[in-house]
PDB file of all heavy atoms in Angstrom:
ATOM      1  N   PHE B 998      15.674 -22.385  -1.536  1.00  0.00           N
ATOM      2  CA  PHE B 998      14.453 -22.924  -0.924  1.00  0.00           C
ATOM      3  C   PHE B 998      13.212 -22.276  -1.546  1.00  0.00           C
ATOM      4  O   PHE B 998      12.268 -22.964  -1.942  1.00  0.00           O
ATOM      5  CB  PHE B 998      14.443 -22.715   0.594  1.00  0.00           C
ATOM      6  CG  PHE B 998      13.057 -22.813   1.152  1.00  0.00           C
ATOM      7  CD1 PHE B 998      12.428 -24.050   1.236  1.00  0.00           C
ATOM      8  CD2 PHE B 998      12.339 -21.672   1.511  1.00  0.00           C
ATOM      9  CE1 PHE B 998      11.114 -24.152   1.695  1.00  0.00           C
ATOM     10  CE2 PHE B 998      11.024 -21.766   1.961  1.00  0.00           C
ATOM     11  CZ  PHE B 998      10.412 -23.009   2.051  1.00  0.00           C
ATOM     12  N   ALA B 999      13.248 -20.937  -1.626  1.00  0.00           N
ATOM     13  CA  ALA B 999      12.076 -20.226  -2.152  1.00  0.00           C
ATOM     14  C   ALA B 999      11.777 -20.691  -3.573  1.00  0.00           C
ATOM     15  O   ALA B 999      10.617 -20.925  -3.936  1.00  0.00           O
ATOM     16  CB  ALA B 999      12.310 -18.720  -2.111  1.00  0.00           C
ATOM     17  N   ARG B1000      12.838 -20.869  -4.346  1.00  0.00           N
ATOM     18  CA  ARG B1000      12.638 -21.265  -5.738  1.00  0.00           C
ATOM     19  C   ARG B1000      11.970 -22.642  -5.830  1.00  0.00           C
ATOM     20  O   ARG B1000      10.991 -22.825  -6.563  1.00  0.00           O
ATOM     21  CB  ARG B1000      13.995 -21.281  -6.445  1.00  0.00           C
ATOM     22  CG  ARG B1000      13.888 -21.659  -7.900  1.00  0.00           C
ATOM     23  CD  ARG B1000      15.183 -21.422  -8.615  1.00  0.00           C
ATOM     24  NE  ARG B1000      15.631 -20.022  -8.426  1.00  0.00           N
ATOM     25  CZ  ARG B1000      16.659 -19.497  -9.054  1.00  0.00           C
ATOM     26  NH1 ARG B1000      17.356 -20.220  -9.905  1.00  0.00           N
ATOM     27  NH2 ARG B1000      16.997 -18.253  -8.844  1.00  0.00           N
ATOM     28  N   ALA B1001      12.483 -23.574  -5.037  1.00  0.00           N
ATOM     29  CA  ALA B1001      11.907 -24.922  -5.066  1.00  0.00           C
ATOM     30  C   ALA B1001      10.461 -24.896  -4.577  1.00  0.00           C
ATOM     31  O   ALA B1001       9.576 -25.542  -5.144  1.00  0.00           O
ATOM     32  CB  ALA B1001      12.751 -25.857  -4.197  1.00  0.00           C
ATOM     33  N   HIS B1002      10.250 -24.126  -3.529  1.00  0.00           N
ATOM     34  CA  HIS B1002       8.922 -24.035  -2.936  1.00  0.00           C
ATOM     35  C   HIS B1002       7.927 -23.451  -3.942  1.00  0.00           C
ATOM     36  O   HIS B1002       6.787 -23.911  -4.048  1.00  0.00           O
ATOM     37  CB  HIS B1002       9.006 -23.145  -1.687  1.00  0.00           C
ATOM     38  CG  HIS B1002       7.704 -22.936  -0.989  1.00  0.00           C
ATOM     39  ND1 HIS B1002       7.223 -23.823  -0.045  1.00  0.00           N
ATOM     40  CD2 HIS B1002       6.777 -21.951  -1.080  1.00  0.00           C
ATOM     41  CE1 HIS B1002       6.060 -23.384   0.400  1.00  0.00           C
ATOM     42  NE2 HIS B1002       5.764 -22.245  -0.207  1.00  0.00           N
ATOM     43  N   LEU B1003       8.387 -22.443  -4.694  1.00  0.00           N
ATOM     44  CA  LEU B1003       7.482 -21.749  -5.607  1.00  0.00           C
ATOM     45  C   LEU B1003       7.288 -22.521  -6.910  1.00  0.00           C
ATOM     46  O   LEU B1003       6.228 -22.437  -7.529  1.00  0.00           O
ATOM     47  CB  LEU B1003       8.006 -20.341  -5.900  1.00  0.00           C
ATOM     48  CG  LEU B1003       7.997 -19.399  -4.682  1.00  0.00           C
ATOM     49  CD1 LEU B1003       8.738 -18.102  -4.999  1.00  0.00           C
ATOM     50  CD2 LEU B1003       6.567 -19.087  -4.251  1.00  0.00           C
ATOM     51  N   ARG B1004       8.315 -23.259  -7.320  1.00  0.00           N
ATOM     52  CA  ARG B1004       8.268 -23.946  -8.613  1.00  0.00           C
ATOM     53  C   ARG B1004       7.006 -24.812  -8.730  1.00  0.00           C
ATOM     54  O   ARG B1004       6.300 -24.777  -9.729  1.00  0.00           O
ATOM     55  CB  ARG B1004       9.552 -24.778  -8.778  1.00  0.00           C
ATOM     56  CG  ARG B1004       9.709 -25.532 -10.081  1.00  0.00           C
ATOM     57  CD  ARG B1004      10.074 -24.655 -11.270  1.00  0.00           C
ATOM     58  NE  ARG B1004      11.152 -23.704 -11.010  1.00  0.00           N
ATOM     59  CZ  ARG B1004      12.004 -23.252 -11.938  1.00  0.00           C
ATOM     60  NH1 ARG B1004      11.938 -23.708 -13.173  1.00  0.00           N
ATOM     61  NH2 ARG B1004      12.901 -22.354 -11.642  1.00  0.00           N
ATOM     62  N   LYS B1005       6.745 -25.545  -7.659  1.00  0.00           N
ATOM     63  CA  LYS B1005       5.552 -26.406  -7.643  1.00  0.00           C
ATOM     64  C   LYS B1005       4.287 -25.591  -7.897  1.00  0.00           C
ATOM     65  O   LYS B1005       3.415 -25.990  -8.647  1.00  0.00           O
ATOM     66  CB  LYS B1005       5.412 -27.063  -6.255  1.00  0.00           C
ATOM     67  CG  LYS B1005       6.333 -28.249  -6.032  1.00  0.00           C
ATOM     68  CD  LYS B1005       5.855 -29.065  -4.827  1.00  0.00           C
ATOM     69  CE  LYS B1005       6.060 -28.340  -3.552  1.00  0.00           C
ATOM     70  NZ  LYS B1005       6.980 -28.463  -2.580  1.00  0.00           N
ATOM     71  N   ARG B1006       4.235 -24.421  -7.237  1.00  0.00           N
ATOM     72  CA  ARG B1006       3.023 -23.609  -7.338  1.00  0.00           C
ATOM     73  C   ARG B1006       2.821 -23.098  -8.764  1.00  0.00           C
ATOM     74  O   ARG B1006       1.714 -23.032  -9.257  1.00  0.00           O
ATOM     75  CB  ARG B1006       3.083 -22.407  -6.383  1.00  0.00           C
ATOM     76  CG  ARG B1006       3.456 -22.743  -4.958  1.00  0.00           C
ATOM     77  CD  ARG B1006       2.377 -23.637  -4.316  1.00  0.00           C
ATOM     78  NE  ARG B1006       2.477 -23.794  -2.886  1.00  0.00           N
ATOM     79  CZ  ARG B1006       3.349 -24.573  -2.246  1.00  0.00           C
ATOM     80  NH1 ARG B1006       4.275 -25.241  -2.918  1.00  0.00           N
ATOM     81  NH2 ARG B1006       3.326 -24.685  -0.941  1.00  0.00           N
ATOM     82  N   PHE B1007       3.950 -22.749  -9.392  1.00  0.00           N
ATOM     83  CA  PHE B1007       3.853 -22.274 -10.777  1.00  0.00           C
ATOM     84  C   PHE B1007       3.179 -23.322 -11.655  1.00  0.00           C
ATOM     85  O   PHE B1007       2.406 -23.016 -12.547  1.00  0.00           O
ATOM     86  CB  PHE B1007       5.250 -21.997 -11.348  1.00  0.00           C
ATOM     87  CG  PHE B1007       5.806 -20.652 -10.959  1.00  0.00           C
ATOM     88  CD1 PHE B1007       7.018 -20.556 -10.292  1.00  0.00           C
ATOM     89  CD2 PHE B1007       5.135 -19.487 -11.275  1.00  0.00           C
ATOM     90  CE1 PHE B1007       7.542 -19.323  -9.941  1.00  0.00           C
ATOM     91  CE2 PHE B1007       5.654 -18.253 -10.924  1.00  0.00           C
ATOM     92  CZ  PHE B1007       6.859 -18.176 -10.253  1.00  0.00           C
ATOM     93  N   LEU B1008       3.525 -24.579 -11.414  1.00  0.00           N
ATOM     94  CA  LEU B1008       3.011 -25.640 -12.274  1.00  0.00           C
ATOM     95  C   LEU B1008       1.554 -25.974 -11.961  1.00  0.00           C
ATOM     96  O   LEU B1008       0.819 -26.433 -12.817  1.00  0.00           O
ATOM     97  CB  LEU B1008       3.893 -26.884 -12.150  1.00  0.00           C
ATOM     98  CG  LEU B1008       5.328 -26.636 -12.646  1.00  0.00           C
ATOM     99  CD1 LEU B1008       6.237 -27.800 -12.311  1.00  0.00           C
ATOM    100  CD2 LEU B1008       5.340 -26.354 -14.152  1.00  0.00           C
ATOM    101  N   GLU B1009       1.163 -25.693 -10.701  1.00  0.00           N
ATOM    102  CA  GLU B1009      -0.199 -26.050 -10.297  1.00  0.00           C
ATOM    103  C   GLU B1009      -1.222 -24.962 -10.594  1.00  0.00           C
ATOM    104  O   GLU B1009      -2.376 -25.261 -10.880  1.00  0.00           O
ATOM    105  CB  GLU B1009      -0.251 -26.267  -8.773  1.00  0.00           C
ATOM    106  CG  GLU B1009       0.321 -27.580  -8.305  1.00  0.00           C
ATOM    107  CD  GLU B1009       0.501 -27.569  -6.789  1.00  0.00           C
ATOM    108  OE1 GLU B1009      -0.242 -26.823  -6.099  1.00  0.00           O
ATOM    109  OE2 GLU B1009       1.396 -28.282  -6.316  1.00  0.00           O
ATOM    110  N   ALA B1010      -0.779 -23.699 -10.464  1.00  0.00           N
ATOM    111  CA  ALA B1010      -1.771 -22.614 -10.446  1.00  0.00           C
ATOM    112  C   ALA B1010      -2.427 -22.438 -11.807  1.00  0.00           C
ATOM    113  O   ALA B1010      -1.743 -22.356 -12.824  1.00  0.00           O
ATOM    114  CB  ALA B1010      -1.110 -21.308 -10.026  1.00  0.00           C
ATOM    115  N   PRO B1011      -3.759 -22.355 -11.849  1.00  0.00           N
ATOM    116  CA  PRO B1011      -4.441 -22.127 -13.122  1.00  0.00           C
ATOM    117  C   PRO B1011      -4.363 -20.676 -13.584  1.00  0.00           C
ATOM    118  O   PRO B1011      -4.569 -20.382 -14.755  1.00  0.00           O
ATOM    119  CB  PRO B1011      -5.891 -22.508 -12.813  1.00  0.00           C
ATOM    120  CG  PRO B1011      -6.043 -22.309 -11.342  1.00  0.00           C
ATOM    121  CD  PRO B1011      -4.695 -22.586 -10.729  1.00  0.00           C
ATOM    122  N   VAL B1012      -4.079 -19.756 -12.639  1.00  0.00           N
ATOM    123  CA  VAL B1012      -4.085 -18.337 -12.987  1.00  0.00           C
ATOM    124  C   VAL B1012      -2.812 -17.670 -12.478  1.00  0.00           C
ATOM    125  O   VAL B1012      -2.383 -17.912 -11.351  1.00  0.00           O
ATOM    126  CB  VAL B1012      -5.310 -17.609 -12.373  1.00  0.00           C
ATOM    127  CG1 VAL B1012      -5.331 -16.133 -12.782  1.00  0.00           C
ATOM    128  CG2 VAL B1012      -6.612 -18.291 -12.774  1.00  0.00           C
ATOM    129  N   GLY B1013      -2.217 -16.856 -13.322  1.00  0.00           N
ATOM    130  CA  GLY B1013      -1.078 -16.039 -12.918  1.00  0.00           C
ATOM    131  C   GLY B1013      -1.461 -14.570 -12.978  1.00  0.00           C
ATOM    132  O   GLY B1013      -2.106 -14.134 -13.936  1.00  0.00           O
ATOM    133  N   ILE B1014      -1.090 -13.825 -11.941  1.00  0.00           N
ATOM    134  CA  ILE B1014      -1.395 -12.391 -11.909  1.00  0.00           C
ATOM    135  C   ILE B1014      -0.080 -11.622 -11.902  1.00  0.00           C
ATOM    136  O   ILE B1014       0.834 -11.953 -11.143  1.00  0.00           O
ATOM    137  CB  ILE B1014      -2.225 -12.031 -10.656  1.00  0.00           C
ATOM    138  CG1 ILE B1014      -3.564 -12.777 -10.682  1.00  0.00           C
ATOM    139  CG2 ILE B1014      -2.458 -10.521 -10.567  1.00  0.00           C
ATOM    140  CD1 ILE B1014      -4.424 -12.538  -9.458  1.00  0.00           C
ATOM    141  N   THR B1015       0.013 -10.628 -12.758  1.00  0.00           N
ATOM    142  CA  THR B1015       1.210  -9.784 -12.769  1.00  0.00           C
ATOM    143  C   THR B1015       0.802  -8.317 -12.740  1.00  0.00           C
ATOM    144  O   THR B1015      -0.354  -7.977 -13.003  1.00  0.00           O
ATOM    145  CB  THR B1015       2.058  -9.978 -14.048  1.00  0.00           C
ATOM    146  OG1 THR B1015       1.341  -9.423 -15.162  1.00  0.00           O
ATOM    147  CG2 THR B1015       2.359 -11.442 -14.312  1.00  0.00           C
ATOM    148  N   GLY B1016       1.777  -7.482 -12.438  1.00  0.00           N
ATOM    149  CA  GLY B1016       1.599  -6.055 -12.633  1.00  0.00           C
ATOM    150  C   GLY B1016       1.949  -5.719 -14.075  1.00  0.00           C
ATOM    151  O   GLY B1016       2.029  -6.608 -14.942  1.00  0.00           O
ATOM    152  N   VAL B1017       2.146  -4.446 -14.343  1.00  0.00           N
ATOM    153  CA  VAL B1017       2.543  -3.965 -15.667  1.00  0.00           C
ATOM    154  C   VAL B1017       3.512  -2.812 -15.440  1.00  0.00           C
ATOM    155  O   VAL B1017       3.196  -1.883 -14.700  1.00  0.00           O
ATOM    156  CB  VAL B1017       1.320  -3.448 -16.463  1.00  0.00           C
ATOM    157  CG1 VAL B1017       1.748  -2.802 -17.776  1.00  0.00           C
ATOM    158  CG2 VAL B1017       0.313  -4.565 -16.698  1.00  0.00           C
ATOM    159  N   ASN B1018       4.700  -2.887 -16.026  1.00  0.00           N
ATOM    160  CA  ASN B1018       5.614  -1.752 -15.896  1.00  0.00           C
ATOM    161  C   ASN B1018       5.336  -0.689 -16.948  1.00  0.00           C
ATOM    162  O   ASN B1018       5.356   0.506 -16.658  1.00  0.00           O
ATOM    163  CB  ASN B1018       7.065  -2.212 -15.958  1.00  0.00           C
ATOM    164  CG  ASN B1018       7.450  -3.023 -14.731  1.00  0.00           C
ATOM    165  OD1 ASN B1018       7.478  -4.243 -14.768  1.00  0.00           O
ATOM    166  ND2 ASN B1018       7.686  -2.324 -13.634  1.00  0.00           N
ATOM    167  N   PHE B1019       5.125  -1.153 -18.170  1.00  0.00           N
ATOM    168  CA  PHE B1019       4.726  -0.237 -19.237  1.00  0.00           C
ATOM    169  C   PHE B1019       3.711  -0.955 -20.114  1.00  0.00           C
ATOM    170  O   PHE B1019       3.766  -2.177 -20.252  1.00  0.00           O
ATOM    171  CB  PHE B1019       5.921   0.173 -20.118  1.00  0.00           C
ATOM    172  CG  PHE B1019       7.002   0.899 -19.382  1.00  0.00           C
ATOM    173  CD1 PHE B1019       8.170   0.238 -19.017  1.00  0.00           C
ATOM    174  CD2 PHE B1019       6.864   2.238 -19.042  1.00  0.00           C
ATOM    175  CE1 PHE B1019       9.183   0.899 -18.327  1.00  0.00           C
ATOM    176  CE2 PHE B1019       7.867   2.909 -18.351  1.00  0.00           C
ATOM    177  CZ  PHE B1019       9.024   2.238 -18.000  1.00  0.00           C
ATOM    178  N   ALA B1020       2.822  -0.188 -20.735  1.00  0.00           N
ATOM    179  CA  ALA B1020       1.919  -0.743 -21.735  1.00  0.00           C
ATOM    180  C   ALA B1020       2.031   0.146 -22.969  1.00  0.00           C
ATOM    181  O   ALA B1020       1.796   1.354 -22.886  1.00  0.00           O
ATOM    182  CB  ALA B1020       0.488  -0.754 -21.212  1.00  0.00           C
ATOM    183  N   VAL B1021       2.450  -0.446 -24.075  1.00  0.00           N
ATOM    184  CA  VAL B1021       2.720   0.349 -25.274  1.00  0.00           C
ATOM    185  C   VAL B1021       1.458   0.428 -26.131  1.00  0.00           C
ATOM    186  O   VAL B1021       0.978  -0.592 -26.645  1.00  0.00           O
ATOM    187  CB  VAL B1021       3.873  -0.270 -26.091  1.00  0.00           C
ATOM    188  CG1 VAL B1021       4.240   0.643 -27.268  1.00  0.00           C
ATOM    189  CG2 VAL B1021       5.080  -0.516 -25.197  1.00  0.00           C
ATOM    190  N   ALA B1022       0.928   1.629 -26.279  1.00  0.00           N
ATOM    191  CA  ALA B1022      -0.340   1.796 -26.984  1.00  0.00           C
ATOM    192  C   ALA B1022      -0.218   1.419 -28.464  1.00  0.00           C
ATOM    193  O   ALA B1022      -1.079   0.739 -29.018  1.00  0.00           O
ATOM    194  CB  ALA B1022      -0.817   3.245 -26.850  1.00  0.00           C
ATOM    195  N   GLU B1023       0.872   1.849 -29.071  1.00  0.00           N
ATOM    196  CA  GLU B1023       1.068   1.652 -30.514  1.00  0.00           C
ATOM    197  C   GLU B1023       0.959   0.180 -30.902  1.00  0.00           C
ATOM    198  O   GLU B1023       0.380  -0.165 -31.931  1.00  0.00           O
ATOM    199  CB  GLU B1023       2.465   2.187 -30.876  1.00  0.00           C
ATOM    200  CG  GLU B1023       2.884   2.019 -32.315  1.00  0.00           C
ATOM    201  CD  GLU B1023       4.385   2.292 -32.513  1.00  0.00           C
ATOM    202  OE1 GLU B1023       5.189   1.944 -31.616  1.00  0.00           O
ATOM    203  OE2 GLU B1023       4.734   2.843 -33.564  1.00  0.00           O
ATOM    204  N   THR B1024       1.514  -0.693 -30.068  1.00  0.00           N
ATOM    205  CA  THR B1024       1.607  -2.103 -30.440  1.00  0.00           C
ATOM    206  C   THR B1024       0.748  -3.005 -29.566  1.00  0.00           C
ATOM    207  O   THR B1024       0.669  -4.207 -29.812  1.00  0.00           O
ATOM    208  CB  THR B1024       3.070  -2.567 -30.313  1.00  0.00           C
ATOM    209  OG1 THR B1024       3.538  -2.214 -28.994  1.00  0.00           O
ATOM    210  CG2 THR B1024       3.952  -1.902 -31.344  1.00  0.00           C
TER     211      THR B1024
END
Side-chain angles (χ1 to χ4, degrees):
Chain B
F998 160 73
R1000 181 170 305 187
H1002 179 86
L1003 293 171
R1004 182 75 47 151
K1005 281 196 290 257
R1006 310 296 192 283
F1007 278 123
L1008 296 171
E1009 283 168 27
V1012 182
I1014 298 177
T1015 70
V1017 174
N1018 291 100
F1019 299 102
V1021 186
E1023 177 193 36
T1024 52

